[in-house]
Structure formats: C-alpha cells, structure tokens
Amino acid sequence: YGNPLGVFSDARLIHVDTSVVPPLKPFLTADMNSDDQPTPLYPVYAWIPVPGATVYEVELCSQPPENPNGTTSSRYRIWEKKGPGYDIYDDIARIQPGTYYWRVRGFDEEDNPLGVYSDAGKFTVDWNRGNYAACFGDSITHGGGAISYSPADPAYSFETYLNFPVVNLGRSGDTTETMNERFTAEVLPFQPRYLIILGGTNSIRGGVTGQQVVRELTALREQCIEHNIRPVFLTLPPINPEAIFRA
C-alpha cells in the first residue's frame, strides 16, 4: 500500500471570493419525506457545515421552534444530540405518529455556539404509510454508502428504487438477535402486509455462527406468521473473514 499509481490529474483553477460572508447557520440537506417517501424509523439528520464549527447539536421539537435564527433551545425540544461532522443518527425510534421539527447549530472548539440555529426541517410519522410493506434490517437496510454517505441520502438506500410503497425500519448496527428484540415494538405498529428482511451480517461479523443466525431468522419468520405478515428474506451479501479480521 502507499505506492503512487499513475500520475497527477490535470490541474483545475479554483476561484475564492473573499468578499462572500460565511454562512451563520448550517444548511439542512436531509429530507425525510423526499419523493413522498415515508420517514425512516430511525432518522438521520444531515447538513452542510459552517466554517469554524467542530461540533454540532441537533434539536428535535414537537412543534415549530418559537425562536428561529436564535441560539437558545426551543421550549418544544423533545430530544437533542451532539456530534462532529455533518450528520447525526437518531438513536430513538420515531414511532409516535405526528409531525416533528428539527434544526441544527454549530459549536466552536470551546463549546461556544457558533452562529445561529439552521432553519427548521420537518418530517411526519404515519403508521398507515407502512401498511403495504416494510424493510427490516441493519445498516444495509437503513441506507448509506461506505464511509461517505449516510442514510440521509436517499440515493444510497435500496428502498428508493422499489416500485411499491415501503417504510424503512432498518437500524444501523442491528444483529438478528436485536431485530427479534425490537420486532413487537417497532414492526407491529405499522401492520405491514409484507416484511422485507435482511439481517445477519453484523451477527456473523461479531462471531455468531451461521446456524445461530438461521435460528434467529427463523424466529423472525415465526413472529411474522403469528401476526399475519408475509416475510420476504433477502440473501446476505458476501462476507470476507480476512477483511473483517484486518478491520
């Protein structure tokens, strides 16, 4: 690794306009209901960063924030989470029906607010949107691409390319064991006719035997049948044990 391969690309000129005032607030890029898609059960909030910010805080509200372009939290705040980068994964299943509002602000290295809150985005949770089909699984179902893209980008979620309505019930990091654990609370409220299941990759990566994964997938099948849901199992993608060991 590390040996040069080929030569540098041709150079391109970059123009920098120093008269442009840097933005005071992040610009939201995640649209939970893009193309009239149902909101994923575990939303991912994403934005374009602002210069100088090292940490960001996402605020989720039950009503539109009463103080737009401010620096103080809203009285309607129901959840918040801080993190670096340009996206934050919600660690709570947003299963309660209704409309939610979210916004983000940056902080500097000393944890001081930098600029103001972004404009608020919103998304709606509707159990009826999952009545036909739901997708259930780990990060492959949740969406996103390796390293660079999160589930906030619908282009990297296979649900985007299905030609029938589906709600995304995926949760990054899930195993077949945790999928069984959350089935009742997070699948049954949507009452899907079909449940598209893709799970087991993280189980095998964590050392669980193939036989145990099959047993846990069988348990999911039994739960589906018990509740008049037709399970549709997807084949696991190939797993490279040597690459897992190196990681």
Side-chain angles (χ1 to χ4, degrees), residues 177-200:
E177 179 181 11
T178 57
M179 289 169 64
N180 272 283
E181 291 173 353
R182 66 187 184 94
F183 181 91
T184 299
E186 299 182 8
V187 174
L188 293 187
F190 293 93
Q191 299 180 324
R193 185 185 308 177
Y194 301 95
L195 186 64
I196 302 169
I197 300 171
L198 177 56

Side-chain angles (χ1 to χ4, degrees), residues 34-94:
S34 62
D35 298 324
D36 199 34
Q37 290 288 329
T39 301
L41 181 63
Y42 286 88
V44 176
Y45 311 96
W47 56 88
I48 295 175
V50 295
T54 57
V55 174
Y56 292 86
E57 177 191 69
V58 170
E59 176 181 69
L60 186 65
C61 301
S62 59
Q63 297 186 40
E66 76 285 359
N67 54 347
N69 297 314
T71 58
T72 58
S73 59
S74 170
R75 72 180 71 170
Y76 303 117
R77 172 186 284 195
I78 58 175
W79 177 85
E80 55 81 22
K81 186 176 181 180
K82 279 187 174 182
Y86 47 81
D87 57 41
I88 285 180
Y89 286 58
D90 201 326
D91 47 20
I92 297 176
R94 298 301 163 188

Side-chain angles (χ1 to χ4, degrees), residues 63-223:
Q63 297 186 40
E66 76 285 359
N67 54 347
N69 297 314
T71 58
T72 58
S73 59
S74 170
R75 72 180 71 170
Y76 303 117
R77 172 186 284 195
I78 58 175
W79 177 85
E80 55 81 22
K81 186 176 181 180
K82 279 187 174 182
Y86 47 81
D87 57 41
I88 285 180
Y89 286 58
D90 201 326
D91 47 20
I92 297 176
R94 298 301 163 188
I95 200 165
Q96 185 64 35
T99 300
Y100 298 80
Y101 300 83
W102 68 282
R103 58 183 184 171
V104 60
R105 62 174 172 172
F107 290 80
D108 62 20
E109 292 182 348
E110 298 179 353
D111 205 32
N112 297 311
L114 189 65
V116 297
Y117 271 109
S118 68
D119 296 335
K122 70 176 182 178
F123 60 87
T124 300
V125 175
D126 182 358
W127 289 354
N128 294 323
R129 300 298 301 276
N131 281 349
Y132 181 75
C135 292
F136 192 47
D138 51 35
S139 60
I140 301 173
T141 298
H142 199 191
I147 302 175
S148 300
Y149 299 94
S150 77
D153 191 333
Y156 293 88
S157 294
F158 74 79
E159 293 86 357
T160 301
Y161 305 98
L162 300 178
N163 62 357
F164 52 85
V166 61
V167 62
N168 186 341
L169 306 183
R171 183 176 69 175
S172 295
D174 250 9
T175 63
T176 44
E177 179 181 11
T178 57
M179 289 169 64
N180 272 283
E181 291 173 353
R182 66 187 184 94
F183 181 91
T184 299
E186 299 182 8
V187 174
L188 293 187
F190 293 93
Q191 299 180 324
R193 185 185 308 177
Y194 301 95
L195 186 64
I196 302 169
I197 300 171
L198 177 56
T201 298
N202 291 324
S203 301
I204 294 174
R205 291 179 63 193
V208 178
T209 65
Q211 292 86 343
Q212 180 61 24
V213 169
V214 170
R215 283 192 288 269
E216 290 168 347
L217 290 174
T218 301
L220 279 175
R221 174 182 177 273
E222 292 171 351
Q223 290 196 74

